[in-house]
Amino acid sequence: MINRFMEEHITPYYAIDKAKLRSNCEILAGVQERTGCRILLAQKAFSAYDTYPLIAEYLCGTEASGLYEAKLGHECMPNKECHVFSAAFRDDEIEEIFENADHIVFNSPSQLARYGSRAKAQGLSVGLRINPECSTQEGHEIYDPCARGSRLGTTRQQWDELMSPELINILDGIHFHTLCEQGSEDLETTVEAVIRTFGDVLKGLKWINLGGGHHITKKNYNISKLEGVINQLTTAFGLTVYLEPGEAVALDAGYLVTSVLDIVQNADDKIAILDMSAACHAPDVIEMPYQPPLYKASTDNGAYGYILAGPTCLAGDVVGRYFFENELKIGQRLAFEDMAIYSMCKNNTFNGMKLPDICLIEEDGKLTTLKSFGYQDFKYRLGM
Ligand SMILES: *Cc1c(COP(=O)(O)O)cnc(C)c1O
């Protein structure tokens, strides 16, 4: 698809692939239909709200990390559910959160004690995030809410010390989020731990939210195992099951198109300097870290190898080494794939870098522009 648009629009720009977004949503809708679970879009991964009407054809609503995302979900996916979780809510935002969300998940018994009964009185469904203390990921400590010293979620020990009968009485549901780009085998392991540590608690509740990190739309994800886990929770405990994936909704549903500005050589390495920056426009490349796929290039072999890097002052502003069939030329365009998630909603203007415009590949095959950015978007955050 992207080959038809490579020469359109000024680079760098993101291009959201609506058809791919729809096919991801169809997979998620299948899980909902077969199990009765309810799936929400985790907006922190993808919040290009012009696509919310499409997503709303399939999913049950949005999940928010705080006030602004809750407002966005409420405003741009109206008449759908809006769940909010934050590690700690603030006094000066809580009323507005109540106005925008219909489900609120607290991180600790003390936050539940501080705001829970007010939330309930305003008609919200109230949950508590638990920490099942079951790590299923290796080498990614910053993405492991079950890592030692984690602030995310209430452990069983904290529950036993702090949850009074009055607090338990406020609860409608339990939430956990412990996965990141993982399969349903790890979910199964985690749910076993949840039942082992919190099984007695689940009995009296209405819902359980299994968080995000489920790689449901990835090839080879075991969907029937996921459905087995959901059905088990529904049958054994009578719970409505929520999932709130971000990544799985918009996986592979976008590109970042860039141009080669210069090619330099350092000893044996050829380096192409692009007009996109990993640090600014695809920060997870450096933070996670990972190397995104590139259209018509390989990450492990080919005739011509280049290190692809950004134009900023950061020495580590490097996307990775890629191999091509032909030599790269100055002015040539390249398209990084899987650039819809954790990109637009996480980018920045470090070095005064321009934000990439946001375009949409429509389902009829046209490219439209949702948003163009310029100097003002850099300047307005820094002063008068
Ligand atoms: C990050 C996050 C999600 C979404 O995670 P993905 O990996 O994008 O699926 C959902 N819920 C919570 C609480 C999160 O922190």
Side-chain angles (χ1 to χ4, degrees), residues 137-144 179-182 213 215 247 278 282-292 338 341-342 346:
Q137 29 183 328
E138 277 154 32
H140 269 163
E141 278 233 324
I142 72 161
Y143 293 109
D144 185 3
L179 306 181
C180 178
E181 299 188 333
Q182 281 168 273
H215 234 178
E247 176 146 355
D284 272 6
V285 165
I286 290 168
E287 195 173 298
M288 191 150 189
Y290 82 109
Q291 187 173 348
D338 195 19
I341 45 175
Y342 294 102
K346 210 175 169 178

Side-chain angles (χ1 to χ4, degrees), residues 201-218:
V201 169
L202 296 180
K203 280 260 164 23
L205 297 174
K206 295 193 182 104
W207 51 264
I208 184 166
N209 186 323
L210 314 185
H214 316 282
H215 234 178
I216 305 172
T217 49
K218 184 93 175 170

Side-chain angles (χ1 to χ4, degrees), residues 42 44-45 63 85 129 175 177 179-181 211-214 244-248 342:
K44 76 159 194 257
E63 187 267 343
F85 162 80
R129 176 166 175 172
H175 176 289
H177 169 77
L179 306 181
C180 178
E181 299 188 333
H214 316 282
E244 47 183 34
E247 176 146 355
Y342 294 102

Side-chain angles (χ1 to χ4, degrees), residues 23 57 84 167 260 290 317 346 352:
S23 72
E57 289 177 42
V84 61
L167 282 183
V260 177
Y290 82 109
D317 190 356
K346 210 175 169 178

